[in-house]
Amino acid sequence: IIFSYLLLLLFLVALYLWIIRSLKPLKILQQQIQKVADGDLSISFKVKGSDEIALISNELEATKEKINIILESRTLFLRNLMHELKTPIAKGTIATQMLSSEKQKKRFTSIFSRLESLVTEFALIEEITSVKDKKKFKQYRLVDVIDEAIDMAMIDGTNVCVDIPAGKMIKVDFQMYATAIKNMIDNG
């Protein structure tokens, strides 16, 4: 009877170790998915084999490659769009200098300067929304980010009331998020 119990116990331990070993690829897959979720698209999910875990891993690899293609297409489109917007602005700025009326010259210069700053802000907003590189993200006090946004918006900060818990910290790219908050202030 003791021998039977020991044999059964040995069998259960071996079964437990086999199950743990067979689930290890799932743990690795979960860690890889977490890295991709954090923005690291260099992770490869490719696995040899034909079991369910390998099939899921290979499908994740194909999906990741499609996402990379879409992101590259988006980036190329936005770069071309920004270039196409900046070209007429630059031409307009040059043409403005040829105007004889100082009043008209100042008016058009401010219009083209505003358009140029909008294009730059659009580029920053695109960068914020894509956020592929989180290396620039650091801990900042939220109040400092908002103060920078108020300065960028060139408004009187004494009229701004923001209810922020004291010492509230956020992990962001300071310049990008200050610009985003400045845009919200401008839109408000």
Side-chain angles (χ1 to χ4, degrees):
I1 292 179
I2 293 175
F3 180 71
S4 296
Y5 282 125
L6 285 175
L7 193 57
L8 180 63
L9 182 64
L10 183 62
F11 173 75
L12 290 175
V13 168
L15 182 63
Y16 173 77
L17 293 174
W18 178 78
I19 291 172
I20 294 297
R21 186 174 152 243
S22 63
L23 291 178
K24 188 175 181 182
L26 280 177
K27 182 68 175 169
I28 293 169
L29 184 61
Q30 183 266 333
Q31 291 168 346
Q32 289 174 321
I33 291 171
Q34 184 61 48
K35 287 179 183 177
V36 169
D38 289 338
D40 184 1
L41 295 178
S42 66
I43 300 295
S44 176
F45 293 107
K46 272 215 183 284
V47 175
K48 292 179 183 175
S50 59
D51 63 348
E52 288 81 8
I53 296 172
L55 293 173
I56 290 171
S57 295
N58 292 330
E59 282 302 316
L60 279 170
E61 178 67 22
T63 303
K64 185 198 68 147
E65 288 175 9
K66 288 176 187 174
I67 289 170
N68 276 335
I69 290 168
I70 291 169
L71 288 174
E72 288 171 10
S73 297
R74 177 180 181 257
T75 301
L76 181 62
F77 170 76
L78 289 171
R79 283 184 187 158
N80 287 335
L81 179 66
M82 295 298 168
H83 175 72
E84 291 302 320
L85 289 173
K86 285 184 176 189
T87 301
I89 292 171
K91 287 179 181 179
T93 303
I94 292 168
T96 299
Q97 300 307 315
M98 296 178 198
L99 293 173
S100 57
S101 167
E102 255 334 285
K103 185 178 177 183
Q104 290 290 333
K105 193 183 283 190
K106 283 182 182 178
R107 181 177 295 155
F108 280 107
T109 300
S110 72
I111 289 170
F112 285 116
S113 293
R114 179 68 180 140
L115 288 172
E116 180 71 31
S117 70
L118 284 173
V119 169
T120 303
E121 286 178 16
F122 290 149
L124 279 173
I125 290 169
E126 189 280 325
E127 214 176 311
I128 290 169
T129 57
S130 65
V131 190
K132 291 177 252 173
D133 182 15
K134 293 188 177 182
K135 293 175 187 158
K136 294 181 183 177
F137 281 42
K138 294 188 175 105
Q139 290 286 339
Y140 294 99
R141 291 182 333 151
L142 180 56
V143 71
D144 293 336
V145 177
I146 293 173
D147 284 344
E148 177 66 16
I150 291 169
D151 291 344
M152 290 169 72
M154 295 184 276
I155 60 171
D156 182 16
T158 58
N159 296 329
V160 177
C161 179
V162 182
D163 186 22
I164 303 170
K168 175 68 177 171
M169 302 293 285
I170 56 173
K171 189 174 183 178
V172 295
D173 179 317
F174 186 85
Q175 196 60 43
M176 283 197 299
Y177 277 77
T179 301
I181 293 171
K182 176 222 160 270
N183 288 341
M184 288 191 285
I185 292 169
D186 284 346
N187 291 339

